[in-house]
């Protein structure tokens, strides 16, 4: 329920901010002229939109793709964390080792899906291991960034573990 409230709070603040901007633009146009209003609007839209480079996620437990049987690739996915507005999904690519015949993990990537208004997800470490019964055990560590109007106000560290069922795409 907290996640839904946080999303609605962010949407409400964005709408309130837009109303303030429209009123400020109107006031600037009346007091200073059309040119000043245009400069104000251009300044608002050209704000500092520096995008932070994401660090690569460290993944352990992956096998090299050299010894994989042809046509044995499978993609397995699972929702590993879910709340009212979004979820974290893990996608794992698997294959069969040509020498041992065992299922091995080739790649693993966690994603934030759903409404991301007010949230950011930064995975740090993914650990995957194929079990004997053709299932995948995983461990995912990352940080959920709680944002208000794009500014991070709280960082929540998440450690998610479990077993991924075999459901190829």
């Amino acid at each position: 329920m907290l996640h839904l409230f946080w999303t609605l709070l962010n949407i409400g603040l964005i709408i309130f901010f837009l109303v303030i901007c429209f009123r400020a633009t109107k006031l600037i146009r009346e007091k200073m002229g059309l040119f000043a209003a245009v400069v104000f609007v251009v300044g608002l839209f050209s704000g500092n939109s520096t995008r932070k480079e994401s660090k690569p996620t460290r993944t352990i437990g992956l096998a090299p793709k050299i010894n994989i049987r042809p046509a044995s690739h499978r993609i397995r996915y699972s929702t590993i964390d879910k709340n009212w507005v979004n979820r974290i999904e893990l996608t794992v690519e698997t294959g069969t080792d040509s020498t041992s015949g065992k299922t091995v993990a080739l790649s693993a990537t966690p994603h934030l899906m759903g409404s991301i208004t007010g949230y950011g997800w930064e995975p740090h470490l993914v650990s995957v291991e194929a079990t004997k019964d053709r299932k995948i055990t995983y461990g995912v560590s990352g940080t959920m960034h709680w944002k208000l109007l794009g500014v991070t106000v709280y960082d929540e560290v998440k450690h998610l573990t479990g077993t991924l069922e075999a459901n190829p795409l």
Side-chain angles (χ1 to χ4, degrees):
M1 193 67 162
L2 178 63
H3 295 281
L4 181 61
F5 170 74
W6 192 258
T7 299
L8 293 175
L9 177 66
N10 268 280
I11 291 171
L13 286 175
I14 289 170
I15 291 170
F16 181 65
F17 178 73
L18 290 174
V19 168
I20 290 172
C21 288
F22 282 123
R23 288 184 180 175
T25 303
K26 183 178 177 185
L27 185 65
I28 290 171
R29 188 172 144 239
E30 290 173 357
K31 299 289 182 184
M32 301 178 73
L34 182 63
F35 181 73
V38 169
V39 169
F40 176 72
V41 169
V42 170
L44 278 177
F45 285 119
S46 68
N48 189 5
S49 63
T50 58
R51 208 169 160 101
K52 192 169 75 170
E53 289 290 323
S54 62
K55 300 173 191 172
T57 304
R58 206 175 94 198
T59 307
I60 58 175
L62 300 181
K65 292 186 180 182
I66 300 170
N67 300 326
I68 303 303
R69 286 185 192 159
S72 69
H73 287 252
R74 298 285 183 261
I75 296 177
R76 302 162 194 261
Y77 65 96
S78 179
T79 300
I80 59 176
D81 187 44
K82 187 175 182 179
N83 57 51
W84 286 59
V85 294
N86 56 36
R87 64 193 180 280
I88 298 173
E89 291 188 353
L90 179 65
T91 304
V92 179
E93 179 188 3
T94 62
T96 305
D97 189 352
S98 60
T99 56
S100 66
K102 292 181 180 178
T103 300
V104 292
L106 302 173
S107 69
T109 310
H111 305 279
L112 181 63
M113 308 291 283
S115 173
I116 58 169
T117 304
Y119 302 98
W121 168 248
E122 182 182 1
H124 300 295
L125 177 67
V126 178
S127 172
V128 290
E129 183 179 356
T131 61
K132 293 177 183 174
D133 55 354
R134 295 192 182 265
K135 293 185 179 181
I136 305 292
T137 59
Y138 64 84
V140 177
S141 294
T143 305
M144 180 69 76
H145 303 286
W146 292 65
K147 300 180 178 192
L148 199 57
L149 290 177
V151 177
T152 302
V153 294
Y154 183 71
D155 288 333
E156 175 186 8
V157 177
K158 288 187 170 259
H159 302 287
L160 308 164
T161 59
T163 303
L164 196 137
E165 295 297 325
N167 56 344
L169 285 175

